[in-house]
Amino acid sequence: MKAMILAAGLGTRLRPLTDTRPKALVEIAGRTLLEITLTRLRTFGITEVIINVHHFADMVTDYLKSNNNFGMRLEISREEILLDTGGGLKKAGWFFLENSTSANPSRPDSAQMDEPFLLHNVDVISTIDFARMLQFHKEHQALATLAVQARETSRPLFFDDNLQLRGRRTSGTANPGCAPQLTATPNHAGTTSTPRDSLPSLAFSGIHLISPRLLPMLTEEGVFSIIPAYLRLAAQGQEILAFRADAYYWRDLGRPADLTQAAHDLQQKVLL
Protein backbone atom coordinates (compact mmCIF):
# COMPACT_ATOMS: atom_id res chain seq x y z
CA MET A 1 0.00 0.00 0.00
CA LYS A 2 1.12 3.54 -0.79
CA ALA A 3 0.35 6.77 1.04
CA MET A 4 0.26 10.53 0.66
CA ILE A 5 1.10 12.96 3.45
CA LEU A 6 -0.55 16.37 3.21
CA ALA A 7 2.19 18.74 4.39
CA ALA A 8 1.89 21.80 2.13
CA GLY A 9 -0.11 24.07 4.43
CA LEU A 10 1.19 27.29 5.96
CA GLY A 11 0.60 26.15 9.54
CA THR A 12 -0.70 29.58 10.53
CA ARG A 13 -2.16 28.33 13.82
CA LEU A 14 1.33 27.16 14.85
CA ARG A 15 2.95 30.58 14.51
CA PRO A 16 5.51 31.71 15.51
CA LEU A 17 6.97 28.20 15.10
CA THR A 18 6.08 28.15 11.40
CA ASP A 19 7.53 31.58 10.71
CA THR A 20 10.88 29.90 10.10
CA ARG A 21 9.99 26.32 9.14
CA PRO A 22 7.22 24.27 7.55
CA LYS A 23 4.72 22.67 9.91
CA ALA A 24 6.01 19.25 8.84
CA LEU A 25 9.30 20.07 10.60
CA VAL A 26 7.79 21.35 13.82
CA GLU A 27 8.94 19.04 16.62
CA ILE A 28 7.35 17.09 19.44
CA ALA A 29 9.81 15.78 22.01
CA GLY A 30 12.68 16.13 19.53
CA ARG A 31 10.86 14.42 16.65
CA THR A 32 9.36 16.23 13.67
CA LEU A 33 5.72 15.77 12.75
CA LEU A 34 6.88 14.38 9.42
CA GLU A 35 9.13 11.77 11.04
CA ILE A 36 6.34 10.70 13.41
CA THR A 37 3.91 10.28 10.50
CA LEU A 38 6.41 8.39 8.34
CA THR A 39 7.27 6.08 11.24
CA ARG A 40 3.58 5.31 11.77
CA LEU A 41 3.16 4.50 8.08
CA ARG A 42 6.23 2.28 8.02
CA THR A 43 4.93 0.38 11.07
CA PHE A 44 2.00 -0.72 8.90
CA GLY A 45 4.25 -1.78 6.03
CA ILE A 46 3.88 1.37 3.93
CA THR A 47 7.22 2.19 2.32
CA GLU A 48 6.16 4.31 -0.69
CA VAL A 49 4.92 7.80 0.13
CA ILE A 50 4.37 11.06 -1.74
CA ILE A 51 4.46 14.32 0.26
CA ASN A 52 3.05 17.59 -0.99
CA VAL A 53 5.07 20.70 -0.07
CA HIS A 54 4.77 24.47 -0.48
CA HIS A 55 5.74 26.49 2.60
CA PHE A 56 9.56 26.25 3.03
CA ALA A 57 9.46 23.38 0.53
CA ASP A 58 13.25 23.14 0.18
CA MET A 59 13.63 22.62 3.92
CA VAL A 60 11.45 19.51 3.67
CA THR A 61 13.40 18.05 0.74
CA ASP A 62 16.74 18.79 2.43
CA TYR A 63 15.51 17.22 5.67
CA LEU A 64 14.45 14.03 3.90
CA LYS A 65 17.74 13.83 2.00
CA SER A 66 19.76 14.27 5.19
CA ASN A 67 17.83 11.37 6.74
CA ASN A 68 18.20 9.10 3.70
CA ASN A 69 14.44 9.28 3.15
CA PHE A 70 14.05 7.22 6.34
CA GLY A 71 14.72 4.11 4.27
CA MET A 72 11.56 4.63 2.22
CA ARG A 73 10.71 5.58 -1.33
CA LEU A 74 9.62 9.19 -0.90
CA GLU A 75 8.40 11.44 -3.71
CA ILE A 76 7.72 15.17 -3.51
CA SER A 77 4.71 16.95 -5.04
CA ARG A 78 5.67 20.62 -5.08
CA GLU A 79 2.79 23.09 -5.17
CA GLU A 80 3.54 26.60 -6.45
CA ILE A 81 0.16 27.65 -5.04
CA LEU A 82 -1.66 25.81 -2.29
CA LEU A 83 -4.10 23.41 -3.94
CA ASP A 84 -6.02 22.32 -0.80
CA THR A 85 -6.66 18.64 -0.06
CA GLY A 86 -8.50 17.73 -3.27
CA GLY A 87 -6.28 19.72 -5.60
CA GLY A 88 -3.17 18.42 -3.87
CA LEU A 89 -4.31 14.81 -4.19
CA LYS A 90 -5.27 15.29 -7.84
CA LYS A 91 -1.84 16.73 -8.68
CA ALA A 92 -0.12 13.79 -6.96
CA GLY A 93 -2.49 11.22 -8.43
CA TRP A 94 0.11 9.92 -10.89
CA PHE A 95 1.91 8.30 -7.94
CA PHE A 96 -1.01 5.94 -7.33
CA LEU A 97 -1.66 5.21 -11.00
CA GLU A 98 1.90 4.54 -12.12
CA ASN A 99 2.58 1.05 -13.45
CA SER A 100 6.16 0.36 -14.39
CA THR A 101 5.25 -3.09 -15.71
CA SER A 102 2.64 -1.77 -18.13
CA ALA A 103 3.36 -0.80 -21.70
CA ASN A 104 1.04 2.16 -21.14
CA PRO A 105 1.54 3.64 -17.63
CA SER A 106 -1.33 6.10 -18.19
CA ARG A 107 -3.76 3.14 -18.28
CA PRO A 108 -3.13 1.10 -15.11
CA ASP A 109 -4.58 -2.40 -14.83
CA SER A 110 -7.70 -3.20 -12.82
CA ALA A 111 -5.75 -4.76 -9.94
CA GLN A 112 -3.85 -1.51 -9.49
CA MET A 113 -7.10 0.48 -9.46
CA ASP A 114 -8.36 -1.73 -6.61
CA GLU A 115 -5.29 -1.24 -4.36
CA PRO A 116 -6.23 1.46 -1.79
CA PHE A 117 -3.86 4.14 -0.58
CA LEU A 118 -3.75 6.17 2.63
CA LEU A 119 -4.12 9.95 2.75
CA HIS A 120 -2.84 11.42 6.04
CA ASN A 121 -2.53 14.98 7.35
CA VAL A 122 0.94 15.69 8.73
CA ASP A 123 -0.52 17.69 11.62
CA VAL A 124 -2.53 14.92 13.24
CA ILE A 125 -1.25 12.17 15.51
CA SER A 126 -3.14 9.01 16.41
CA THR A 127 -3.08 5.32 17.26
CA ILE A 128 -5.70 4.48 14.65
CA ASP A 129 -5.20 0.92 13.42
CA PHE A 130 -4.68 1.29 9.67
CA ALA A 131 -4.83 -2.49 9.19
CA ARG A 132 -8.35 -2.66 10.64
CA MET A 133 -9.35 0.40 8.67
CA LEU A 134 -8.04 -1.23 5.49
CA GLN A 135 -9.96 -4.41 6.24
CA PHE A 136 -13.16 -2.38 6.70
CA HIS A 137 -12.50 -0.48 3.46
CA LYS A 138 -11.98 -3.66 1.44
CA GLU A 139 -14.90 -5.55 2.98
CA HIS A 140 -17.26 -2.75 1.99
CA GLN A 141 -15.58 -2.12 -1.39
CA ALA A 142 -15.62 1.58 -0.53
CA LEU A 143 -14.48 4.33 -2.85
CA ALA A 144 -13.20 6.22 0.20
CA THR A 145 -13.21 5.47 3.92
CA LEU A 146 -12.89 8.33 6.42
CA ALA A 147 -11.70 7.79 9.99
CA VAL A 148 -14.17 9.63 12.22
CA GLN A 149 -14.89 10.07 15.92
CA ALA A 150 -17.76 11.28 18.10
CA ARG A 151 -16.16 14.45 19.45
CA GLU A 152 -16.68 18.20 19.29
CA THR A 153 -15.93 19.83 15.93
CA SER A 154 -17.03 22.96 14.09
CA ARG A 155 -17.33 21.02 10.81
CA PRO A 156 -19.14 17.76 11.51
CA LEU A 157 -19.96 15.18 8.86
CA PHE A 158 -23.26 13.30 8.81
CA PHE A 159 -23.51 9.56 8.13
CA ASP A 160 -26.53 7.27 8.00
CA ASP A 161 -26.99 3.93 9.80
CA ASN A 162 -24.96 2.22 7.09
CA LEU A 163 -22.06 4.63 7.71
CA GLN A 164 -22.61 6.24 4.29
CA LEU A 165 -21.77 9.96 4.00
CA ARG A 166 -24.94 12.08 3.87
CA GLY A 167 -23.90 15.66 4.54
CA ARG A 168 -21.87 18.13 6.56
CA ARG A 169 -22.22 21.30 8.57
CA THR A 170 -19.72 24.05 7.87
CA SER A 171 -18.46 26.41 10.57
CA GLY A 172 -20.97 29.14 11.36
CA THR A 173 -23.75 27.48 9.36
CA ALA A 174 -26.90 26.31 11.12
CA ASN A 175 -27.88 23.59 8.66
CA PRO A 176 -25.90 20.67 7.26
CA GLY A 177 -24.14 21.86 4.11
CA CYS A 178 -24.55 18.99 1.73
CA ALA A 179 -25.44 18.50 -1.88
CA PRO A 180 -29.23 18.73 -2.44
CA GLN A 181 -29.31 15.16 -3.76
CA LEU A 182 -28.30 13.88 -0.32
CA THR A 183 -31.64 14.76 1.31
CA ALA A 184 -33.26 11.48 0.34
CA THR A 185 -30.54 9.34 -1.16
CA PRO A 186 -31.38 5.61 -1.04
CA ASN A 187 -29.28 3.78 1.52
CA HIS A 188 -27.73 0.31 1.22
CA ALA A 189 -31.07 -1.36 1.92
CA GLY A 190 -32.75 0.55 -0.90
CA THR A 191 -34.80 2.79 1.40
CA THR A 192 -34.38 6.50 1.90
CA SER A 193 -32.16 7.72 4.71
CA THR A 194 -33.24 9.52 7.86
CA PRO A 195 -33.63 13.32 7.57
CA ARG A 196 -30.28 15.03 7.93
CA ASP A 197 -31.16 16.86 11.15
CA SER A 198 -31.53 13.52 12.98
CA LEU A 199 -28.33 11.97 11.65
CA PRO A 200 -25.43 11.61 14.10
CA SER A 201 -22.61 14.07 13.48
CA LEU A 202 -19.03 12.83 13.51
CA ALA A 203 -15.67 14.58 13.43
CA PHE A 204 -13.27 13.76 10.61
CA SER A 205 -9.73 12.84 11.66
CA GLY A 206 -7.79 13.88 8.55
CA ILE A 207 -7.04 10.23 7.72
CA HIS A 208 -8.60 8.58 4.65
CA LEU A 209 -8.28 5.29 2.78
CA ILE A 210 -8.99 5.81 -0.91
CA SER A 211 -9.41 3.58 -3.93
CA PRO A 212 -7.50 4.86 -6.98
CA ARG A 213 -10.87 4.57 -8.75
CA LEU A 214 -11.62 7.92 -7.13
CA LEU A 215 -8.91 9.80 -9.00
CA PRO A 216 -10.57 9.91 -12.46
CA MET A 217 -13.79 10.95 -10.72
CA LEU A 218 -12.24 14.16 -9.37
CA THR A 219 -13.68 16.46 -12.03
CA GLU A 220 -12.95 19.56 -9.96
CA GLU A 221 -10.01 21.66 -11.16
CA GLY A 222 -7.37 23.82 -9.50
CA VAL A 223 -7.73 24.56 -5.81
CA PHE A 224 -10.42 22.49 -4.10
CA SER A 225 -11.15 20.61 -0.89
CA ILE A 226 -11.72 16.86 -1.02
CA ILE A 227 -14.84 16.95 1.21
CA PRO A 228 -17.18 18.63 -1.35
CA ALA A 229 -15.95 16.08 -3.89
CA TYR A 230 -16.85 13.29 -1.47
CA LEU A 231 -20.31 14.82 -0.98
CA ARG A 232 -20.84 15.02 -4.73
CA LEU A 233 -19.81 11.41 -5.24
CA ALA A 234 -21.89 10.20 -2.29
CA ALA A 235 -24.90 11.92 -3.85
CA GLN A 236 -24.22 9.88 -6.99
CA GLY A 237 -24.38 6.64 -5.01
CA GLN A 238 -20.66 6.07 -4.48
CA GLU A 239 -19.55 4.41 -1.24
CA ILE A 240 -18.01 7.15 0.91
CA LEU A 241 -17.98 5.48 4.32
CA ALA A 242 -17.13 6.20 7.95
CA PHE A 243 -14.66 4.10 9.91
CA ARG A 244 -15.47 4.62 13.60
CA ALA A 245 -12.19 5.40 15.34
CA ASP A 246 -13.60 6.35 18.75
CA ALA A 247 -11.49 3.76 20.57
CA TYR A 248 -8.20 5.25 19.39
CA TYR A 249 -6.11 8.17 20.55
CA TRP A 250 -6.21 11.15 18.15
CA ARG A 251 -5.04 14.73 18.40
CA ASP A 252 -4.94 17.67 16.01
CA LEU A 253 -1.58 19.45 16.22
CA GLY A 254 -2.73 22.80 14.93
CA ARG A 255 -1.76 24.91 17.96
CA PRO A 256 1.32 25.13 20.20
CA ALA A 257 -0.77 23.92 23.17
CA ASP A 258 -1.60 20.76 21.21
CA LEU A 259 2.11 20.09 20.70
CA THR A 260 2.70 20.41 24.45
CA GLN A 261 -0.10 17.95 25.23
CA ALA A 262 1.08 15.50 22.56
CA ALA A 263 4.62 15.63 23.98
CA HIS A 264 3.20 14.80 27.40
CA ASP A 265 1.20 11.94 25.92
CA LEU A 266 4.29 10.57 24.21
CA GLN A 267 6.19 10.73 27.47
CA GLN A 268 3.37 8.89 29.25
CA LYS A 269 3.29 6.31 26.41
CA VAL A 270 -0.36 7.11 25.69
CA LEU A 271 0.46 6.79 22.00
CA LEU A 272 3.03 5.30 19.65
Side-chain angles (χ1 to χ4, degrees):
M1 186 167 68
K2 294 182 178 181
M4 179 174 184
I5 298 175
L6 296 170
L10 301 177
T12 52
R13 293 182 299 156
L14 282 172
R15 286 176 176 162
L17 295 174
T18 50
D19 287 340
T20 55
R21 76 189 87 173
K23 65 180 178 181
L25 300 188
V26 169
E27 295 185 353
I28 297 177
R31 301 174 63 196
T32 66
L33 303 188
L34 185 54
E35 180 208 340
I36 291 170
T37 306
L38 287 170
T39 300
R40 280 274 294 155
L41 297 180
R42 194 169 52 200
T43 298
F44 286 92
I46 300 172
T47 58
E48 296 183 86
V49 181
I50 190 166
I51 305 163
N52 70 338
V53 295
H54 170 77
H55 185 56
F56 292 113
D58 289 339
M59 289 183 68
V60 176
T61 56
D62 291 345
Y63 170 77
L64 293 173
K65 186 181 296 184
S66 67
N67 285 279
N68 297 313
N69 284 347
F70 294 94
M72 306 167 76
R73 177 200 169 191
L74 301 181
E75 299 285 348
I76 293 295
S77 180
R78 192 178 288 258
E79 298 180 8
E80 298 306 318
I81 62 168
L82 285 172
L83 296 174
D84 209 334
T85 50
L89 172 60
K90 188 168 183 174
K91 184 177 189 297
W94 64 268
F95 183 70
F96 306 105
L97 298 177
E98 65 181 355
N99 187 352
S100 58
T101 63
S102 171
N104 187 352
S106 66
R107 301 182 63 182
D109 58 35
S110 58
Q112 188 177 17
M113 292 296 278
D114 288 335
E115 181 58 36
F117 62 88
L118 190 73
L119 186 62
H120 196 298
N121 288 3
V122 78
D123 55 359
V124 299
I125 190 168
S126 81
T127 60
I128 291 174
D129 188 333
F130 299 148
R132 289 189 63 185
M133 189 174 171
L134 177 62
Q135 181 181 4
F136 174 90
H137 178 88
K138 288 185 172 181
E139 285 177 353
H140 292 82
Q141 298 182 319
L143 186 66
T145 298
L146 285 56
V148 297
Q149 296 177 321
R151 54 178 168 78
E152 287 296 317
T153 178
S154 60
R155 295 177 292 179
L157 297 176
F158 296 88
F159 296 84
D160 64 20
D161 292 341
N162 296 293
L163 300 177
Q164 169 72 15
L165 179 65
R166 293 297 174 196
R168 69 167 174 175
R169 178 179 287 121
T170 53
S171 181
T173 304
N175 298 313
C178 64
Q181 301 98 310
L182 292 180
T183 354
T185 303
N187 63 23
H188 297 241
T191 59
T192 55
S193 62
T194 324
R196 285 173 291 162
D197 291 342
S198 63
L199 294 176
S201 64
L202 297 168
F204 179 43
S205 70
I207 298 170
H208 339 216
L209 266 171
I210 300 171
S211 165
R213 292 182 288 112
L214 172 83
L215 297 170
M217 299 180 188
L218 293 177
T219 54
E220 295 83 358
E221 298 291 341
V223 180
F224 66 96
S225 168
I226 193 69
I227 297 298
Y230 285 155
L231 290 165
R232 173 179 61 80
L233 291 166
Q236 295 170 3
Q238 297 293 336
E239 300 277 4
I240 311 295
L241 302 183
F243 174 77
R244 295 298 300 264
D246 305 283
Y248 303 102
Y249 175 96
W250 178 92
R251 181 170 292 281
D252 171 68
L253 302 173
R255 302 167 303 171
D258 299 316
L259 300 176
T260 302
Q261 183 60 54
H264 172 78
D265 295 341
L266 277 170
Q267 187 178 33
Q268 298 299 313
K269 303 188 185 301
V270 174
L271 59 106
L272 298 183

